[in-house]
Amino acid sequence: MFQTVTKTLLVSSSSLVYRSICQSLRHYCNQSSTKLRVSEALAGAELGKNVRVQGWVRSVRPQKKNIFLHVNDGSSLQSLQVVGGAELSDPLLTFGSAVEVTGTLRKSPHPQQPVELGADQIHVVGECNSVDFPFKIKERHSLEYIRQLPHLRCRTNVFSSLLRVRSEATTAVHSYFKSNGFLQIHTPTITSNDCEGAGELFQVEPSGPDFEEEVNFFSVPAFLTVSGQLHLEVMSGSFSRVYTFGPTFRAENSQSRRHLAEFFMVEAEISFTQSLEDLTKVMEGMFRSTTEHVLAHCADDVGLFHKHVTPGHRDRVDAMLKQSFPVITYSEAIDILNRSSENFTFPTDWGCDLKTEHEKYLVKHCGDVPVFITDYPYDLKPFYARDNQDQPKHTAAAVDLLVPGVGELCGGSLREERLSLLKARLEDVGLEEIYSWYLDLRRFGSVPHGGFGMGFERYLQCILGVNNIKDVISFPRFSHSCLL
């Protein structure tokens, strides 16, 4: 009995000592090695030195004398090859597992990869059961399939590429506005305004036992914003160039590939302008600058989409950047539609709203490049659009940018700065009291101004060729779906 207990204690003590030694060795290795991201390692940083890389296993290939891994940490599309001795093989090293690898970064003997990591130590940080894992190592999963797994789809090559493109495009948008003298404004997410006037709003109400008797937390009905435009107009009374970039919300009861309940908008407002051309210059400049930046800084990620998701789309993107965007009026657009041989589902009479089928036809007619449509019927536009006073047709100084594969990308207008005309319009639609503050903007130092908004997800669809808008946003929200 005594001998058994003693033996157990010795074994237990040995196990503790072994673990302690392993932890000490790991700590020493970590202290003496330089931590690199995979992108840095692939660029040859710290070549010939002891480095440490952390990431997730994209492939495992054990051999008799060696084990080969591909490790990725999300910093690039390309993974880093890890080569270790067979003694480093571990049954927990599986596709999807998280690892920390320490070793020497060296030039690779294979021309297809510049460097490889010669592993001295491989530590499995997080296990992954490759049998239950919904993504398989040798399968190419469709966007429709991975869309069903929003909590895991960032583990796939295609969606991690999308997120890197999205991040870089965000940087490029901010960079464009900053370099062109725009001031960023953080417009509110909760508002009492319905900027678009469509009534497709999410109302905000408090939840919990303390608010059961509360009628209005804010004393007025409050909603999630559909646009930051009106708040930008407030700021344009003091700053000549402002913009905002953030989430917006529409309660559209639709599950189509074109609609989301939550999406991101880039919006800008320019003071001291009476020309739609001033707006179209900014729209086109932002589109070109952002696209060129993304193509230069995310070549591999964009290339993945253009090769495997939408083959041939790169030619279309290049064509968009090679020529200036044509400009036609709404009346000219209606004439083009009526002279076409297409059988449109929706009418093309003057005064009708342009539908997606009309927009896509107009883009193709103009050479399959982005095209501006100006001077829409006055009655189609919100109360703030400037009246052209061009009866009998009666149009507004409004402009949309239509792009290949998507249709409308940007929408904007000159704003009605004439107090009497704006007041009359608000009276006609019964909004004079609600928007009394908006009239004040015209009473005190008002200037001619205008602005526009661009749907960020639609922009990503345009440059990548992605058909469904739910595949270009991290966590899509739409009617009857709010996963996570």
Side-chain angles (χ1 to χ4, degrees):
M1 174 75 176
F2 177 76
Q3 290 177 339
T4 303
V5 172
T6 302
K7 185 176 180 180
T8 302
L9 288 172
L10 286 171
V11 171
S12 177
S13 176
S14 299
S15 178
L16 288 172
V17 170
Y18 175 76
R19 286 183 196 150
S20 178
I21 292 173
C22 287
Q23 289 173 353
S24 298
L25 285 172
R26 188 175 301 127
H27 177 73
Y28 173 77
C29 290
N30 289 347
Q31 289 292 99
S32 60
S33 59
T34 302
K35 182 178 176 180
L36 294 180
R37 290 179 292 133
V38 166
S39 59
E40 294 171 327
L42 291 171
E46 304 294 326
L47 191 65
K49 297 181 180 179
N50 191 259
V51 302
R52 176 164 44 101
V53 170
Q54 298 162 326
W56 292 267
V57 175
R58 290 294 175 87
S59 71
V60 186
R61 186 160 51 91
Q63 293 185 350
K64 187 175 181 180
K65 294 183 179 180
N66 294 304
I67 181 171
F68 295 86
L69 306 178
H70 279 96
V71 176
N72 192 289
D73 64 355
S75 61
S76 73
L77 175 61
Q78 187 178 351
S79 298
L80 176 66
Q81 177 165 281
V82 175
V83 183
E87 71 278 2
L88 296 178
S89 185
D90 186 328
L92 297 180
L93 277 174
T94 60
F95 173 60
S97 61
V99 296
E100 179 179 88
V101 184
T102 305
T104 303
L105 190 66
R106 63 199 185 198
K107 288 185 178 180
S108 173
H110 302 288
Q112 294 183 346
Q113 53 197 29
V115 297
E116 64 183 21
L117 180 56
D120 298 322
Q121 184 182 43
I122 302 175
H123 171 55
V124 178
V125 179
E127 301 175 23
C128 179
N129 186 324
S130 58
V131 176
D132 295 334
F133 194 44
F135 305 129
K136 304 306 176 186
I137 190 169
K138 293 185 178 180
E139 292 183 21
R140 183 176 295 168
H141 303 285
S142 68
L143 293 175
E144 291 75 17
Y145 175 74
I146 67 172
R147 194 187 308 144
Q148 302 171 52
L149 302 160
H151 59 303
L152 294 174
R153 66 175 177 170
C154 62
R155 313 281 186 94
T156 64
N157 280 341
V158 67
F159 205 72
S160 62
S161 284
L162 177 277
L163 293 175
R164 281 188 293 272
V165 170
R166 188 181 174 103
S167 176
E168 205 63 50
T170 299
T171 298
V173 167
H174 286 298
S175 178
Y176 172 81
F177 282 117
K178 183 175 178 62
S179 63
N180 283 276
F182 284 79
L183 180 74
Q184 183 182 8
I185 302 294
H186 294 130
T187 54
T189 301
I190 299 176
T191 178
S192 58
N193 303 315
D194 177 8
C195 179
E196 297 297 317
E200 298 167 335
L201 304 170
F202 288 105
Q203 188 159 356
V204 178
E205 296 178 352
S207 177
D210 294 338
F211 302 104
E212 288 180 357
E213 303 299 323
E214 191 75 37
V215 177
N216 277 314
F217 181 86
F218 296 100
S219 298
V220 295
F223 312 95
L224 295 179
T225 183
V226 297
S227 170
Q229 178 209 313
L230 298 184
H231 297 95
L232 284 184
E233 284 199 62
V234 170
M235 297 300 177
S236 69
S238 184
F239 304 96
S240 60
R241 289 189 158 206
V242 292
Y243 82 101
T244 189
F245 188 171
T248 53
F249 306 85
R250 303 275 173 90
E252 289 185 280
N253 189 17
S254 172
Q255 297 182 32
S256 77
R257 63 179 183 83
R258 290 176 49 81
H259 295 101
L260 290 170
E262 178 185 16
F263 52 95
F264 281 69
M265 285 281 286
V266 180
E267 298 176 272
E269 205 73 22
I270 304 170
S271 300
F272 300 99
T273 179
Q274 292 180 291
S275 168
L276 282 179
E277 187 179 356
D278 289 341
L279 300 184
T280 60
K281 282 182 179 178
V282 176
M283 290 186 204
E284 184 169 347
M286 179 184 64
F287 182 94
R288 289 182 180 279
S289 175
T290 302
T291 305
E292 288 168 356
H293 179 96
V294 168
L295 293 178
H297 290 81
C298 291
D300 290 344
D301 295 309
V302 174
L304 182 146
F305 278 88
H306 292 169
K307 182 178 180 180
H308 298 295
V309 180
T310 50
H313 191 71
R314 178 57 187 264
D315 293 337
R316 174 183 269 186
V317 175
D318 289 339
M320 294 185 211
L321 299 175
K322 283 180 180 177
Q323 57 181 294
S324 59
F325 301 168
V327 181
I328 62 174
T329 66
Y330 170 87
S331 295
E332 290 171 333
I334 291 296
D335 185 52
I336 291 170
L337 294 174
N338 286 331
R339 284 190 286 107
S340 75
S341 58
E342 292 286 319
N343 293 317
F344 296 113
T345 302
F346 295 95
T348 56
D349 303 323
W350 198 98
C352 70
D353 200 2
L354 296 180
K355 302 298 183 182
T356 302
E357 60 175 350
H358 305 143
E359 294 169 346
K360 290 185 175 181
Y361 179 84
L362 290 168
V363 168
K364 287 185 178 180
H365 177 85
C366 293
D368 208 28
V369 295
V371 56
F372 290 109
I373 311 293
T374 68
D375 302 308
Y376 280 79
Y378 184 72
D379 290 338
L380 288 181
K381 293 302 174 180
F383 64 85
Y384 49 74
R386 195 177 198 274
D387 189 345
N388 281 333
Q389 294 185 304
D390 55 350
Q391 281 83 353
K393 282 193 172 181
H394 199 191
T395 64
V399 57
D400 286 347
L401 176 60
L402 313 182
V403 297
V406 174
E408 182 187 344
L409 175 65
C410 300
S413 73
L414 299 179
R415 314 310 188 192
E416 185 57 80
E417 86 284 2
R418 296 163 292 187
L419 178 60
S420 59
L421 293 179
L422 180 60
K423 187 175 181 180
R425 184 76 187 273
L426 286 171
E427 287 176 351
D428 287 343
V429 293
L431 295 174
E432 183 184 9
E433 184 177 349
I434 296 174
Y435 287 99
S436 59
W437 64 268
Y438 192 70
L439 293 172
D440 280 348
L441 300 180
R442 273 59 177 176
R443 292 188 178 101
F444 308 118
S446 178
V447 299
H449 62 287
F452 69 91
M454 179 186 80
F456 188 56
E457 283 74 26
R458 288 190 178 185
Y459 167 75
L460 294 173
Q461 283 185 277
C462 174
I463 65 169
L464 297 177
V466 176
N467 187 51
N468 195 313
I469 198 169
K470 300 175 185 65
D471 297 325
V472 292
I473 191 169
S474 306
F475 301 101
R477 275 81 174 90
F478 52 95
S479 176
H480 304 297
S481 179
C482 187
L483 300 176
L484 279 66

